[in-house]
Structure formats: C-alpha cells, structure tokens
Amino acid sequence: MVTPGLVVGLVLQSILWADKSAGTGFRFASYISNNVVLQKEPAGAVIWGFGTPGATVTVTLCQGQETIMKKVTSVKAPSNIWMVVLDPMKPGGPFEVMAQQTLERINFTMRVHDVLFGDVWLCSGQSNMQMTVLQVLNAARELSNTAAYQSVRIFSVSPIQAEQELEDLVAVDLQWSKPTEENLGHGNFTYMSAVCWLFGRYLYDTLQYPIGLISSSWGGTSIEAWSSGRSLKACGVPKQGSVPSDMVTGPRKHSVLWNAMIYPLCKMTLKGVVWYQGESNMNYNTDLYNCTFPALIEDWRQTFHHGSQGQTEQLFPFGFVQLSSYLSKIRSDGFPQIRWHQTADFGYVPNPKMPNTFMAVAMDLCDRDSPFGSIHPRDKQTVAYRLHLGARALAYGEKNLNFQGPLPEKTELLAHKGLLNVTYYQEIQVQKRDNKIFEISCCSDHQCKWLPASMNTFSTQSLTLTINSCHGIVVALRYAWTTWPCEYKQCPLYHPSNALPAPPFIAFITDVPSHQSNVAK
C-alpha cells in the first residue's frame, strides 16, 4: 500500500485551523471555489462559510448581468458559520456566486466564478481509489481524452488526520478544476482518483450535464479510520486494538480520517458516494466488517443529510467496488471473507441491511504484472464502467438495465445421481468450465471439509455440479471463494449481455432456495 505524506506540517495545520475557527476572516468553505459544481434539482445546493458573528451575509446567484436569486442569513456564534440553501436549479451554467458580509456599514464581498449545477459524487477509500489516471491501463490515451469533458469538474482532498471532527477541510490537494492531463495524472497515488474520474466520465456520457467529483482517499487505511466513533461503537469494535502492520500502512487511529477528510464535507449537498476499500481489513477486524461497512454507510447518510439541512437525500445512493484479486504469499481467507462481508453476508446488493447500494464485482480484473503490486490492478476503466451501471439503475432509475452478474436462485441436491443443480435468476453464459471454482462442504463423522465440485452440464439459466467426491453429506456450496478466483476476465460465469461476472457466494444447501434466504456466514 502506498501512503502519501501529510501535505501540511503540524505547525501550519495549527495556524490554518486557528485562523479558520477564529472567525476573523470572511470566506467561503474551503471547497467552494471557482469551477465548483453544485448539486442540481430537486435538492437545493448549500453555500456556507465563516464570518464575523452577528454580521449579515447576502448570497447572490448571478448569470451575466442577471440576478437569479438572493439569500440572506447571519453569522452564528460561537461557530462563526453562515449558511444558505439555494433554490433548486436545473443543470447547467456557468453562474457566479457572490457573498457579501455587512457589519456596521462595513461590507466585504467575495465571488466564485464558472459555477455549474449538476450531480456531485464523493469518492473515498484506500489506494485502489487513490490511484491516478497516470497509473491505469492505456494511461496516455486516457490522459489526452479530456476536451469533451470540461463540464466534469474534479476536486481532491489532502490526506490529513484529526483527533476531533473538523468543521472545514484543513488543506486541499486540488481545488475545483477542469480536467487536464496534469491534474488527472499528477503522480502515483497523489490525485486525481482514476476510478472517480472514469466513473464520472461514464455518467456524463449518459446524462450529458455537469458532474462534480470529490476525491477523498488514503492508501493503506482500514475502515475504522473512515468511521465515526458512533458507528464503531454500534458494531462493538474494540477501542484501539493492536493493528497489524502488513496491510495497514496509512493512519491507524480510529476515526481520524472521518474527522478530517469526510466530516468537513457534510454540509454540502451530494448526489451519492462511491467507495473502494477493504484490503486493509483482510487481517484486521475482518469478522466485524459485515457490521462496520453497513454502519459506515448508514452513518455517512445520516450525517450528510443532517449537515446539508436535509438537502442530501437520507438514503442517498452508495456504490462500492467488491475487492479484486491479490497474489498473496500466505494463503488467507481474508479476501473472500471481506468480499462477502461487503454485502453484509447476502452476496448481493441492494439488500435489507444495505438499501439503495450498488456494487461493482472486480474479482476477475486481476493484474499479475502491475508495477504497483498485484493488489493494485490497473484496469480501472472496467471497474468504473461496472460502477456506473449500478448508478444508472439505482441512482437514476434507469429501467431494464442489467447492472449485476447472475445470482443463484435455488439449488437442488440430486444425491442419487451424484449431482447438485444450481438455478440462477438471470441468464448465464458459461465462458469456460472450471473444476475448482465451485466447492461443496462435505461432512462425515462430525467433520466437514471443502471439496471441489466440477461443472458438469449447463443451460441458459442453470448448471449442474458433480459431487461424487463427497462420501458424506453435502451441507453447503460456495463459488469463487479464494483470493484469486480466476484469470483476467476469465471467470466461468457471466451475464451474456453485459459481461458482468457472477459474484462470489456461500450458502447452506438447506436454505439456498430463496434469493432472500439467510446464507452461510
């Protein structure tokens, strides 16, 4: 895992924060600047900043010489914060936002230019989210492909830690900008997030209106660093246990990135979030991830909804990338376990514990030759494409769009024939036969072990597995339950029309029959 250094020294951080919290300056929040994208209708965009307590602040939205709207508020003590909610705006622009502070006949005015209205997405996680366009496959071509996407604006938060929740960002790596070869390929793991950019680009191709992308990531970080103390307590996470050093190379303290890199953004109006994290929990609180991840989603939703005065939807769309593959020297069930826990042990999303979520399966996007290590596969285009399909279906309500691979509906044990039949909800395309990717749990003499179940026959929606290797009772079935399930885009099962892989699953034979059934933990 690559860990960027702190962008701002501790002394400078203290000075910046003292200035921001003291209220001596009239200013916008740190992420409101030229080129900003504000959330479009039906929500109202939140404009806020700091000023002198008791002063009146007038916020004006203009287009050319025309005044679109005015909002008046005052600076509250002791926070020194002023805030307005704009009327909902149709997508488009450019506009200018002007804020004027008046106190005892003394006026201060500030402006931000080239403001667009569109959809704002926050992208967060660890190093696979942090990888830049410079690091992906066909980087030169991707970096040169920006002319048509000047309405897709990008913003990147500096990697900063804090012991307490901060009102505003301490530092920014990249202020709101139009995409260029320089800021998309600034360096390795430094900005701008490739997954975030490519996701936004695919959305723009479909929506054809402005997209705002905020990247707030840090490599080698566990979910605990991105979670509030509230959500960790709800999952019974030990307060600050011993953190293993192999996969956690970023900040180790709980909540320090939530405090400094997520909470300061919560007053903005968002469309949704995309997330790529989990590798650092492979050997750290792994068994709790089926709680900590859904709890993070719920807590972020509540915090952004409240912080934005109700403008960010209470159940805003939340997309994530299920972990890809990793060439580990040590055999570990950590990766398949985390993949499973990323779905709250359902194997699919959305589900009752994770409503309005969508997932990009990435276990078939492995990269043996990645110069950044196999844990950092370079095909981020396919990751972003699969993510954007989920967003189109869940966030934008596009009907009849297949956005996930085939899911098992029921199993039928044909013990007398030595077969197990698996039926899927969708059509399946068997790309190749694999004798190891399906496994059965075979029990005899009160002991169970996993044995391969080779693929036998298949049709458009079902397949049969040979279970002759089991001389006891078959009690469970699992699929793709390894750190490296298949080679690049060569898993056995895909959806025939969209090349989406069947996700991994594990289930007891006795209660597989329903898509909604409880499955093996």
Side-chain angles (χ1 to χ4, degrees):
M1 295 289 181
V2 177
T3 307
L6 286 177
V7 174
V8 184
L10 291 175
V11 174
L12 181 55
Q13 285 184 42
S14 302
I15 294 172
L16 281 170
W17 183 244
D19 177 61
K20 290 178 181 180
S21 60
T24 55
F26 175 54
R27 64 177 185 85
F28 288 111
S30 58
Y31 55 79
I32 299 176
S33 68
N34 295 340
N35 303 306
V36 65
V37 176
L38 299 175
Q39 182 59 42
K40 71 169 187 67
E41 63 181 7
V46 175
I47 303 292
W48 71 281
F50 296 89
T52 305
T56 298
V57 175
T58 303
V59 177
T60 307
L61 180 70
C62 303
Q63 190 167 40
Q65 300 302 310
E66 180 186 1
T67 297
I68 307 298
M69 74 180 80
K70 281 191 177 183
K71 299 288 179 179
V72 180
T73 187
S74 59
V75 182
K76 304 295 189 291
S79 66
N80 307 318
I81 289 174
W82 55 267
M83 178 187 295
V84 300
V85 178
L86 301 182
D87 298 336
M89 292 288 295
K90 293 183 181 301
F95 297 88
E96 178 181 89
V97 174
M98 179 178 72
Q100 184 177 66
Q101 176 178 275
T102 304
L103 184 66
E104 298 175 352
R105 298 184 181 178
I106 299 174
N107 295 333
F108 294 95
T109 303
M110 55 188 178
R111 295 176 170 85
V112 291
H113 306 282
D114 197 10
V115 174
L116 302 180
F117 286 86
D119 281 337
V120 182
W121 286 85
L122 169 62
C123 308
S124 187
Q126 56 182 115
S127 54
N128 270 302
M129 181 62 85
Q130 200 177 25
M131 285 176 73
T132 68
V133 181
L134 184 71
Q135 298 174 267
V136 304
L137 295 175
N138 303 311
R141 185 181 69 193
E142 300 292 1
L143 288 171
S144 65
N145 185 20
T146 59
Y149 298 101
Q150 295 301 291
S151 292
V152 182
R153 305 288 173 82
I154 55 179
F155 178 96
S156 190
V157 176
S158 296
I160 299 289
Q161 308 174 56
E163 295 291 330
Q164 303 293 329
E165 293 176 345
L166 305 183
E167 287 291 345
D168 199 11
L169 299 171
V170 171
V172 172
D173 269 358
L174 179 69
Q175 266 295 357
W176 283 105
S177 304
K178 297 177 182 180
T180 65
E181 186 169 336
E182 164 60 24
N183 58 34
L184 288 175
H186 186 74
N188 293 343
F189 302 99
T190 50
Y191 67 81
M192 172 61 183
S193 162
V195 168
C196 194
W197 161 248
L198 294 165
F199 169 76
R201 201 180 70 184
Y202 283 125
L203 282 184
Y204 181 81
D205 287 341
T206 298
L207 301 170
Q208 291 295 301
Y209 59 69
I211 301 291
L213 301 170
I214 299 166
S215 174
S216 185
S217 306
W218 194 324
T221 49
S222 67
I223 196 170
E224 290 77 9
W226 297 101
S227 303
S228 72
R230 296 178 299 279
S231 61
L232 294 178
K233 184 178 180 181
C235 291
V237 176
K239 286 203 171 173
Q240 199 68 48
S242 143
V243 183
S245 60
D246 54 346
M247 299 296 282
V248 184
T249 56
R252 293 161 180 263
K253 283 194 174 182
H254 294 175
S255 305
V256 291
L257 304 186
W258 159 260
N259 292 338
M261 297 176 67
I262 301 298
Y263 184 80
L265 303 170
C266 74
K267 293 183 184 65
M268 72 163 57
T269 312
L270 285 181
K271 175 65 175 180
V273 168
V274 286
W275 171 262
Y276 195 160
Q277 189 277 336
E279 298 92 338
S280 287
N281 286 94
M282 183 176 72
N283 295 312
Y284 178 56
N285 287 339
T286 308
D287 292 340
L288 293 175
Y289 203 92
N290 57 358
C291 181
T292 51
F293 185 39
L296 175 143
I297 295 172
E298 183 179 0
D299 187 62
W300 284 27
R301 283 171 167 167
Q302 290 179 0
T303 303
F304 276 84
H305 178 70
H306 178 76
S308 65
Q309 308 295 302
Q311 297 305 306
T312 297
E313 288 183 13
Q314 195 157 12
L315 278 177
F316 63 72
F318 195 108
F320 65 94
V321 183
Q322 194 179 48
L323 292 192
S324 184
S325 301
Y326 173 45
L327 284 175
S328 175
K329 295 177 182 176
I330 305 169
R331 179 173 172 80
S332 169
D333 280 341
F335 255 49
Q337 201 70 27
I338 288 291
R339 289 189 192 115
W340 186 243
H341 287 342
Q342 285 179 298
T343 67
D345 299 352
F346 281 82
Y348 59 88
V349 294
N351 62 53
K353 288 187 178 178
M354 300 174 70
N356 211 30
T357 59
F358 55 96
M359 171 176 73
V361 176
M363 67 181 182
D364 66 333
L365 302 180
C366 47
D367 191 348
R368 291 178 182 273
D369 302 318
S370 172
F372 315 105
S374 65
I375 204 165
H376 297 123
R378 290 166 291 173
D379 181 0
K380 295 298 190 270
Q381 292 90 335
T382 303
V383 169
Y385 180 77
R386 291 173 180 175
L387 269 178
H388 110 282
L389 288 178
R392 283 167 58 185
L394 268 293
Y396 297 99
E398 190 170 332
K399 303 299 182 186
N400 303 316
L401 177 69
N402 289 315
F403 65 99
Q404 53 191 351
L407 298 163
E409 180 180 12
K410 64 179 181 180
T411 63
E412 184 181 5
L413 189 61
L414 307 173
H416 61 289
K417 295 183 179 179
L419 298 174
L420 179 64
N421 191 66
V422 185
T423 303
Y424 285 81
Y425 270 90
Q426 306 104 311
E427 289 186 22
I428 58 172
Q429 176 181 322
V430 177
Q431 183 165 278
K432 57 179 286 190
R433 291 177 183 270
D434 189 307
N435 294 328
K436 294 181 179 179
I437 201 162
F438 280 100
E439 296 173 293
I440 51 173
S441 179
C442 179
C443 298
S444 60
D445 300 328
H446 305 291
Q447 288 188 331
C448 300
K449 59 181 178 180
W450 290 101
L451 300 174
S454 60
M455 295 168 62
N456 190 311
T457 60
F458 56 88
S459 64
T460 56
Q461 217 163 327
S462 66
L463 56 83
T464 57
L465 305 172
T466 300
I467 58 171
N468 288 333
S469 58
C470 179
H471 300 296
I473 301 172
V474 177
V475 298
L477 172 69
R478 67 187 187 185
Y479 173 76
W481 205 263
T482 63
T483 303
W484 191 282
C486 52
E487 293 306 312
Y488 180 74
K489 293 189 175 179
Q490 290 296 312
C491 279
L493 298 181
Y494 287 82
H495 192 286
S497 67
N498 56 22
L500 294 177
F505 74 87
I506 183 170
F508 290 118
I509 297 299
T510 53
D511 59 19
V512 158
S514 169
H515 179 44
Q516 301 296 334
S517 65
N518 293 322
V519 285
K521 302 299 186 283

